[in-house]
Amino acid sequence: MTKGKVWKYKDNINTDIITPPESMELDIKSAAKYCMANLDPTFADGFQPGDIFVCEHNLGSGSSRETAPLCLKELGVRIVIAMDYARIFYRNCINVGIIVLECPDTDKISKDDMLDVDYLTGIILNETTGQTYHCNPIPTHIAQIIEKGGLINYISDKLRKS
Amino acid sequence: MTSIKADDIVWVNVDKAMMDDILGPRVEIADNLVKMGAKIWDPQKVVIVSDHYTPPANIKQANIVKFTRDWASENKVSNYYEFAGPCHQVMVDKGHVVPGTVVVGTDSHTTTYGALTCFSSGIGSTEMSGVLATGQIWMKVPQTIHINWDGELHPGVMAKDVSLHTIKHLGHAGATYKSMEYDGSSIRHMIMDERMCLSNMAVEAGAKAGIIGYDQITAEYMKRRFGITDDFSQFNSDADANYIQTLNFDASQLVPQVACPHEVDNVFNVVDVNDVKVNQVYIGSCTGGRYHDLKMAAELLKGKTVEPTIRVLVSPASKDIYNECLKDGILSILADAGCIILGSTCGACLGVHSGNIGDHEVCVSTTNRNFLGRMGSKSSGVYLVSPLTAAATALTGKLTDPRKFL
């Protein structure tokens, strides 16, 4: 179980918004300070490790830039929850070790709500509203990558075994 | 050969892996290979293109290009290019894309090679680390949306308009997790330069790939440019293929389109969007800077002068295209009309150099994205159009339907 406070955004939070182009020549630690800056200048300073990043439809559309999940991770994002995702961003999150949950009810979640997330069962309790939400289960092959702590560990294992 | 079907998850052998300077070795990949104790599985199958930060605008960018160049050399990647232009055009120009192969790249517009009946898709940097170590990637076999465009496009209407109109109908997430397959008589008559625009933009509807079947146009292109005469028609969809969705469009009804800020599916007829005053026109990128694009723009601008209060920037999609346009007088026509000819680069498209826009400025652009803050200030706006619409806009200083000048 993971408890955390919600940072909530709506549809189409694309990777240009998460990591604006002008920050991309910086290293990840420095680039993270500009994360979401064009949309919400309070995000990078205000986000506390363990807080939960929640959006609605089509999270992470646009560029393949892995700087987006890397900057979120740098700021302490361990779990993201959205109704649905752009595919490269979804894969990138898993590969860098962020847990991505697909939940059809994120429109019922608001900024600053406290969530209690059981990502293994996919059940989310919103302590602020008393509501319970159900996420799509994490597919088996993705769970295997997450269990290893990301793609690099997963591949390292695979290489050792071969 | 084992048969697979949509939604199966399979490990796929990669034929070519492409990396750029912005999301290539320097983001995680170099470190990850060291962490894994791995070497590149086959350096001959890797292509690295420094294109986003060329020419560098500052020391940080210069050092990123330097790092990328040195890394390519240390890892024995001989297919390394810089100052050669945006990666997708370079990949095709230099013959790294062959029909029936699987190509992945660290840029979302890697879908471009679908125009050559290649299964190609964008991936992240960590994923690329895995590909470099093993030569493989896991993929879910996508379902396919069949998109038919039949009939003849009117003068003044280009592939970019076809693309924007299709994305308007699908929505910018309408093809997520799926492939788009363009078909129909309009597509069958389209030259390769135009087809590449369609495949490039497929990702703007969320698609994993944007495929166009192998036909006479593909065959002639492969033969003329690379002397490849193999028949790749076995890679086309079966006659009885199942599609998850079919969209049918009448090309003769299509008029010039524009995607207004800040989403690619925010699409209207150009004539219905009134009085957009423009500060900059940009004709270039892996979407709208090919030979045919510049030729069409030059035909419209020949003997005329662009509106003096705006800046009109032209960046050919590769150095090869630059040279071809130079030889054929296209660049002179554009320069004589008042356009600034830039090197071949990704710089302006994603707002990192060579054409950023300031506060509240408007750019009418042939590129592929108009997201918030994409080309500069977060208060600026980008309107996506065809090269002909961009050229017409350059003459008037406001968003203009090119049919007015034909």
Side-chain angles (χ1 to χ4, degrees):
Chain A
M1 298 289 251
T2 306
K3 275 192 187 188
K5 193 181 77 169
V6 167
W7 289 74
K8 174 67 197 294
Y9 305 92
K10 289 188 180 263
D11 297 344
N12 309 321
I13 302 305
N14 61 56
T15 53
D16 277 51
I17 290 176
I18 301 170
T19 41
E22 68 269 24
S23 70
M24 291 196 63
E25 59 204 59
L26 306 172
D27 59 66
I28 295 298
K29 209 176 173 61
S30 314
K33 292 175 189 156
Y34 301 93
C35 191
M36 301 286 287
N38 283 345
L39 190 69
D40 178 2
T42 71
F43 180 80
D45 276 345
F47 193 94
Q48 298 298 313
D51 288 354
I52 298 174
F53 189 68
V54 184
C55 296
E56 295 184 5
H57 287 295
N58 198 29
L59 173 58
S61 55
S63 166
S64 63
R65 59 185 76 169
E66 196 166 293
T67 48
L70 287 172
C71 284
L72 291 173
K73 192 179 170 188
E74 175 68 29
L75 295 174
V77 174
R78 293 291 168 265
I79 297 179
V80 296
I81 309 171
M83 291 176 175
D84 46 68
Y85 296 83
R87 47 167 292 280
I88 303 176
F89 180 80
Y90 180 80
R91 290 177 77 111
N92 282 349
C93 283
I94 294 158
N95 289 335
V96 305
I98 293 176
I99 295 162
V100 275
L101 296 174
E102 283 178 299
C103 171
D105 297 315
T106 58
D107 53 339
K108 296 172 186 145
I109 300 173
S110 308
K111 183 170 175 8
D112 295 333
D113 283 358
M114 280 300 294
L115 299 185
D116 200 340
V117 181
D118 186 337
Y119 58 83
L120 292 175
T121 61
I123 296 171
I124 301 170
L125 172 65
N126 187 333
E127 292 187 345
T128 309
T129 65
Q131 295 166 330
T132 301
Y133 318 116
H134 295 269
C135 302
N136 293 333
I138 296 177
T140 317
H141 67 288
I142 289 172
Q144 286 169 354
I145 294 172
I146 292 172
E147 269 169 32
K148 297 282 181 193
L151 187 74
I152 296 309
N153 292 347
Y154 179 86
I155 301 256
S156 296
D157 261 24
K158 212 173 148 183
L159 289 175
R160 264 195 298 277
K161 280 172 194 160
S162 65
Chain B
M1 189 174 146
T2 316
S3 83
I4 53 169
K5 59 185 187 311
D7 290 338
D8 286 352
I9 289 168
V10 290
W11 283 90
V12 177
N13 292 330
V14 168
D15 295 295
K16 279 274 162 64
M18 187 280 294
M19 287 182 277
D20 51 19
D21 52 355
I22 193 164
L23 296 162
R26 65 139 192 156
V27 177
E28 301 286 296
I29 294 171
D31 288 347
N32 282 343
L33 281 194
V34 173
K35 259 187 237 168
M36 289 187 287
K39 286 209 164 83
I40 294 179
W41 98 103
D42 185 348
Q44 291 307 309
K45 292 187 175 173
V46 175
V47 183
I48 302 180
V49 186
S50 286
D51 54 359
H52 287 68
Y53 292 136
T54 54
N58 55 44
I59 296 164
K60 280 196 174 67
Q61 294 184 3
N63 281 333
I64 290 169
V65 175
K66 179 177 185 296
F67 176 85
T68 309
R69 182 192 308 131
D70 292 347
W71 193 89
S73 164
E74 283 157 22
N75 288 276
K76 305 193 171 17
V77 176
S78 54
N79 294 313
Y80 173 75
Y81 304 91
E82 64 179 43
F83 298 91
C87 52
H88 305 305
Q89 190 59 38
V90 171
M91 282 289 284
V92 175
D93 282 354
K94 302 298 183 189
H96 294 299
V97 178
V98 178
T101 57
V102 174
V103 179
V104 294
T106 55
D107 186 283
S108 58
H109 295 103
T110 300
T111 53
T112 307
Y113 325 139
L116 282 82
T117 326
C118 165
F119 189 93
S120 57
S121 202
I123 61 172
S125 307
T126 298
E127 194 108 63
M128 181 57 82
S129 315
V131 170
L132 294 181
T134 65
Q136 291 192 317
I137 186 169
W138 69 264
M139 280 187 182
K140 184 156 130 178
V141 180
Q143 295 174 321
T144 301
I145 301 174
H146 199 205
I147 298 154
N148 289 308
W149 278 88
D150 284 305
E152 202 171 333
L153 292 168
H154 285 293
V157 183
M158 298 184 69
K160 185 61 170 289
D161 302 302
V162 170
S163 174
L164 291 175
H165 195 75
T166 307
I167 294 165
K168 174 188 181 173
H169 276 263
L170 276 171
H172 54 202
T176 300
Y177 305 132
K178 302 181 182 77
S179 282
M180 287 161 67
E181 182 179 334
Y182 276 102
D183 204 351
S185 62
S186 325
I187 310 299
R188 294 287 143 235
H189 285 101
M190 236 178 226
I191 61 168
M192 192 53 73
D193 275 9
E194 288 282 81
R195 292 180 179 193
M196 282 162 65
C197 170
L198 298 180
S199 294
N200 176 289
M201 296 279 291
V203 72
E204 302 308 329
K208 185 181 218 163
I211 308 271
I212 297 172
Y214 177 86
D215 62 7
Q216 200 53 36
I217 301 264
T218 338
E220 281 163 15
Y221 188 85
M222 295 311 291
K223 187 179 172 193
R224 178 170 54 84
R225 294 188 61 100
F226 310 114
I228 295 175
T229 53
D230 305 60
D231 177 13
F232 297 98
S233 51
Q234 76 267 30
F235 296 107
N236 285 347
S237 293
D238 299 333
D240 61 347
N242 288 319
Y243 294 101
I244 189 164
Q245 187 183 355
T246 296
L247 293 176
N248 293 305
F249 296 98
D250 178 358
S252 69
Q253 298 297 309
L254 186 67
V255 296
Q257 303 285 291
V258 54
C260 298
H262 299 290
E263 294 294 345
V264 184
D265 62 355
N266 191 21
V267 173
F268 302 90
N269 297 335
V270 170
V271 284
D272 295 333
V273 181
N274 296 317
D275 282 336
V276 175
K277 290 216 169 88
V278 174
N279 307 99
Q280 175 170 299
V281 169
Y282 182 72
I283 302 175
S285 87
C286 59
T287 311
R290 278 178 259 286
Y291 180 86
H292 180 71
D293 298 325
L294 271 50
K295 182 167 171 273
M296 296 302 277
E299 279 175 12
L300 192 143
L301 291 174
K302 190 170 187 176
K304 302 187 180 78
T305 306
V306 304
E307 161 63 35
T309 57
I310 63 170
R311 49 196 189 268
V312 183
L313 311 178
V314 174
S315 171
S318 70
K319 187 67 172 61
D320 287 359
I321 290 172
Y322 190 113
N323 291 343
E324 219 179 321
C325 290
L326 188 66
K327 185 174 64 118
D328 292 354
I330 290 170
L331 296 186
S332 302
I333 294 170
L334 294 169
D336 287 347
C339 304
I340 309 298
I341 313 295
L342 303 173
S344 300
T345 172
C346 305
C349 174
L350 81 161
V352 291
H353 61 82
S354 303
N356 286 18
I357 45 178
D359 295 342
H360 308 291
E361 285 200 317
V362 164
C363 181
V364 163
S365 175
T366 66
T367 52
N368 42 37
R369 279 195 184 124
N370 59 352
F371 295 164
L372 181 75
R374 173 73 178 179
M375 292 179 82
S377 164
K378 67 180 176 185
S379 63
S380 67
V382 178
Y383 291 74
L384 304 178
V385 298
S386 76
L388 274 173
T389 302
T393 300
L395 288 176
T396 63
K398 59 180 194 177
L399 182 66
T400 300
D401 189 323
R403 292 174 299 170
K404 193 176 154 184
F405 292 99
L406 299 178

